């Protein structure tokens, strides 16, 4: 704080940064990155990416998953349920065949046991991958795709499949359940549906 005549100027934390909703990934970007990760043998990243897209979990919930959360014995489950850290509400999600295959390969490669974190940290002071580490990994993915890093964040992963489902079905209630939102209004705001749909209607209206 400064006194009169000696005011200390503090630069806004968000100066030069894009704030607000982060963009979901497009299908072509999803497949481009999957192929790249597969070709380069980046097993952990492929499992993290596929599960992040499928689960639609917040970053803190994704990195906090244990092997037993997604496994039934030696088999990767086709569906799983976790309690969300933010809301303490349970949410279910599907694990598609590509994600199951990637997770199985990662568990085998890393020699993980049921009680282990699915994505253990490589840092000694953290038992599992941290949200900041996850954000850095995602930032590298965005750059590898030739996209603007400022437009994407960990919520891009959470929004991607939810946005695609809404676009195909217009079923807001289904998306609400998949995201674990308690109120439909939260889902509407999260997906930016009102603005997008209004623009779509406007674009289809010829004058």
């Amino acid at each position: 704080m400064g006194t009169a005549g000696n005011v200390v100027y503090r630069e806004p934390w968000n100066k030069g940064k894009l704030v607000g909703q982060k963009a979901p990934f497009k299908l072509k970007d999803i497949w481009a990155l999957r192929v790249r990760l597969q070709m380069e043998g980046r097993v952990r990243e492929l499992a993290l990416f596929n599960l992040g897209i499928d689960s639609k979990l917040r970053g803190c919930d994704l990195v906090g998953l244990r092997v037993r959360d997604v496994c039934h014995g030696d088999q990767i489950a086709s569906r799983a349920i976790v309690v969300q850290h933010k809301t303490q509400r349970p949410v279910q999600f599907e694990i598609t065949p590509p994600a199951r295959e990637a997770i199985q390969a990662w568990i085998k490669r890393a020699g993980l046991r049921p009680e282990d974190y699915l994505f253990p940290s490589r840092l000694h002071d953290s038992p599992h991958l941290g949200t900041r580490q996850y954000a850095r990994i995602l930032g590298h993915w965005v750059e590898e795709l030739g996209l603007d890093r400022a437009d994407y964040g960990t919520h891009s992963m959470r929004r991607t499949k939810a946005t695609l489902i809404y676009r195909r079905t217009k079923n807001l209630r289904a998306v609400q359940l998949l995201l674990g939102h308690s109120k439909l209004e939260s889902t509407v705001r999260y997906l930016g549906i009102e603005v997008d749909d209004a623009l779509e209607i406007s674009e289809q209206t010829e004058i």
Side-chain angles (χ1 to χ4, degrees):
M1 298 291 292
T3 57
N6 185 32
V7 177
V8 176
Y9 174 74
R10 296 186 185 281
E11 188 173 273
W13 68 270
N14 58 350
K15 183 179 180 181
K17 297 179 181 178
L18 181 69
V19 296
Q21 296 287 17
K22 295 298 184 180
F25 289 102
K26 295 182 174 66
L27 272 176
K28 65 180 179 67
D29 297 325
I30 294 170
W31 284 107
L33 186 57
R34 274 181 178 154
V35 169
R36 187 185 191 108
L37 296 176
Q38 286 174 334
M39 295 290 288
E40 295 179 2
R42 291 153 67 180
V43 182
R44 182 181 77 146
E45 289 182 57
L46 182 61
L48 181 65
F49 179 73
N50 282 342
L51 187 56
I53 293 291
D54 272 358
S55 70
K56 302 164 288 291
L57 290 173
R58 294 179 182 87
C60 59
D61 293 321
L62 179 65
V63 298
L65 288 172
R66 292 182 187 268
V67 173
R68 61 175 177 242
D69 292 327
V70 298
C71 279
H72 292 159
D74 295 332
Q75 299 297 314
I76 307 300
S78 59
R79 292 183 181 180
I81 182 169
V82 296
V83 175
Q84 300 170 97
H85 180 76
K86 180 179 179 180
T87 64
Q88 294 302 303
R89 292 166 59 91
V91 65
Q92 295 188 63
F93 56 90
E94 75 286 358
I95 307 176
T96 57
R100 294 203 296 271
E101 184 178 335
I103 295 166
Q104 187 80 68
W106 164 240
I107 290 173
K108 183 177 180 181
R109 168 78 67 87
L112 301 177
R113 299 163 299 176
E115 65 272 18
D116 291 335
Y117 283 105
L118 187 57
F119 301 108
S121 176
R122 292 171 179 168
L123 303 177
H124 294 299
D125 58 348
S126 177
H128 60 73
L129 190 70
T131 51
R132 288 189 178 184
Q133 290 173 280
Y134 175 41
R136 281 196 293 271
I137 291 170
L138 184 134
H140 292 313
W141 292 341
V142 171
E143 289 177 348
E144 288 180 80
L145 289 168
L147 302 173
D148 189 340
R149 197 165 178 164
D151 293 341
Y152 297 85
T154 55
H155 271 276
S156 297
M157 298 285 286
R158 179 162 158 78
R159 293 185 71 209
T160 293
K161 198 165 186 178
T163 301
L164 289 171
I165 291 168
Y166 176 74
R167 287 286 170 222
R168 288 175 180 173
T169 67
K170 301 296 182 183
N171 189 333
L172 259 181
R173 174 60 178 161
V175 177
Q176 178 195 1
L177 291 171
L178 293 169
L179 289 174
H181 286 158
S182 58
K183 296 181 180 179
L184 201 62
E185 292 82 0
S186 300
T187 308
V188 170
R189 286 196 304 272
Y190 192 76
L191 296 182
I193 285 167
E194 292 176 316
V195 174
D196 286 349
D197 283 359
L199 287 170
E200 191 175 313
I201 292 169
S202 182
E203 288 168 351
Q204 293 172 358
T205 304
E206 294 183 7
I207 298 177

